[in-house]
Amino acid sequence: MASIQSSTGLITGIPIQDTVDQLMALAAKPRDLLKTRIEAMQTEQAAVTELTALLASVQYVARNLGKEKVFSARAASSSDSTALAAVVTGNPAIGTHQFTPLRVVQNQQWLSGGVRAKQDPIGAGSLSFRFGAHVERATPLELLNAGQGVPRGKIRITDRSGASAEIDLGTVQSFDEILERINSNSTIRVTAVAQGDAIRLIDRTGQTAANLQVEEVGGGTTAAALGLDGINVAAGVADGRDLVGLYSSLRLDALNDGNGVVFHTSLADIRFTLRDGTTGTIDLSPIVPGSSQVDKEITLGQVLERINAAAPDKLKAEIGPDGDRLVIRDLTTGDGTFGLESLYGSSALADLGLDGADR
């Protein structure tokens, strides 16, 4: 049986569906307003959160602006880190520095054939060591002039023919390199050799047209530090001033061609006898009381302090006036004989040059 469906009243003619929809829309109005308000508040909350984050970052930066370390921070970099690495230590001055590598370190290793036990013979052959002028230890420039070293720069040398040449010593590291730079210059005929503790210049021209002369270049002080600044002579040979001498801060390991001074590690090194009959010993590497550590001297000045403390006002050790040796004196009087002797096989007395009759 068919049915009749209509959204309009059959009798009243009122559109019931539209009326209901409108009533429902009116009833939902508060809900929609609340939803819109919630969405607006959520948008505001997100904006406030973002603003808080931005303010926090600004606050962090502003607080750091008040910290001294922010402005004193240093960073270092090298244009070629494979040749030279750069790191910051302390508080270095800001600037750009240029370095020229002079030597490249190379590793070298020799391995013998394997052996099964320490008693097994290595094999046929011989092993020898030779020492000569070609393997002498080069004197580093920082040991010259009582530890003041030599400022790098250029010097001008004029031979007796009148020819002159600028010798660039800006990158030298040792005394031998200074001699090599002068001797390898082909513009002048001058040979530099070590004469004692000074540099000797020898003119090879055989002429007399000009003086053998050494001058500074560009207002430097390199020639003066090498003891050559006063050379201006009408002679074929000229000697510079003494460059090498003893000084209090000189490290002991630089003495005796780098072999240093050998102390006894557990016993006294020197026995002394004075003219007034006083005797005693000097321990140059005493054991620290209450421990097993050795209080070993590092510099020449520390050695002199140790010797002078052995018999104050009676025994005095000091660097000689010529700067080339140590002098030790007996300040007492009497009929006895002043003497020093090594103890227990220590070589300290000989290594300090105090084992001879002339002390």
Side-chain angles (χ1 to χ4, degrees), residues 10-329:
L10 297 176
I11 298 176
T12 62
I14 298 173
I16 296 174
Q17 183 66 45
D18 293 341
T19 301
V20 172
D21 291 342
Q22 291 178 15
L23 291 173
M24 292 293 293
L26 290 173
K29 192 71 173 179
R31 183 203 64 189
D32 294 340
L33 290 174
L34 182 59
K35 181 180 179 181
T36 301
R37 180 59 178 166
I38 291 174
E39 291 177 350
M41 292 183 65
Q42 289 176 339
T43 302
E44 291 176 0
Q45 185 180 24
V48 171
T49 301
E50 183 179 0
L51 180 60
T52 301
L54 292 174
L55 288 175
S57 63
V58 172
Q59 186 181 41
Y60 175 78
V61 174
R63 287 178 177 175
N64 281 338
L65 289 176
K67 297 179 180 179
E68 183 180 353
K69 65 179 183 179
V70 173
F71 300 96
S72 61
R74 300 287 189 269
S77 62
S78 173
S79 60
D80 187 357
S81 58
T82 60
L84 182 67
V87 295
V88 175
T89 57
N91 189 27
I94 297 176
T96 301
H97 307 277
Q98 183 175 350
F99 297 90
T100 302
L102 301 180
R103 296 183 179 90
V104 179
V105 177
Q106 295 180 342
N107 293 328
Q108 187 172 7
Q109 184 180 26
W110 290 321
L111 296 176
S112 66
V115 292
R116 291 171 296 178
K118 62 181 180 180
Q119 294 85 3
D120 288 354
I122 295 177
S126 62
L127 184 64
S128 62
F129 297 91
R130 294 186 300 168
F131 300 91
H134 56 287
V135 292
E136 285 181 347
R137 185 185 300 271
T139 302
L141 296 184
E142 57 265 23
L143 294 182
L144 304 183
N145 298 308
Q148 298 300 312
V150 176
R152 309 307 195 266
K154 295 180 179 180
I155 62 174
R156 180 181 295 108
I157 299 178
T158 303
D159 64 21
R160 301 217 62 193
S161 72
S164 64
E166 291 187 2
I167 311 298
D168 188 355
L169 303 176
T171 58
V172 295
Q173 300 297 311
S174 68
F175 186 80
D176 288 349
E177 290 184 53
I178 292 176
L179 302 181
E180 291 174 3
R181 292 288 177 89
I182 297 174
N183 295 335
S184 62
N185 189 281
S186 59
T187 304
I188 55 175
R189 295 189 61 193
V190 174
T191 300
V193 297
Q195 180 65 27
D197 294 339
I199 296 176
R200 168 172 288 182
L201 299 180
I202 304 172
D203 181 84
R204 301 294 186 187
T205 65
Q207 301 184 33
T208 58
N211 282 359
L212 178 59
Q213 185 177 4
V214 180
E215 302 171 280
E216 302 282 8
V217 174
T221 58
T222 305
L226 293 174
L228 301 175
D229 57 322
I231 293 180
N232 185 3
V233 296
V237 177
D239 290 336
R241 294 189 301 275
D242 194 340
L243 299 176
V244 182
L246 302 177
Y247 51 95
S248 294
S249 59
L250 177 64
R251 290 181 59 90
L252 296 178
D253 53 17
L255 298 177
N256 299 308
D257 292 330
N259 293 311
V261 177
V262 180
F263 302 138
H264 203 296
T265 57
S266 58
L267 299 173
D269 298 277
I270 302 170
R271 176 185 288 115
F272 62 88
T273 302
L274 305 182
R275 288 180 294 176
D276 67 350
T278 300
T279 61
T281 61
I282 303 172
D283 190 349
L284 296 175
S285 56
I287 297 176
V288 178
S291 72
S292 60
Q293 296 181 348
V294 175
D295 185 14
K296 187 176 182 180
E297 281 70 27
I298 303 299
T299 66
L300 185 59
Q302 292 173 336
V303 169
L304 295 178
E305 291 176 2
R306 186 80 69 182
I307 295 175
N308 292 331
D313 301 325
K314 291 188 175 184
L315 186 67
K316 183 175 179 59
E318 59 187 351
I319 297 173
D322 58 2
D324 291 337
R325 61 195 179 101
L326 298 181
V327 176
I328 187 165
R329 293 188 177 92

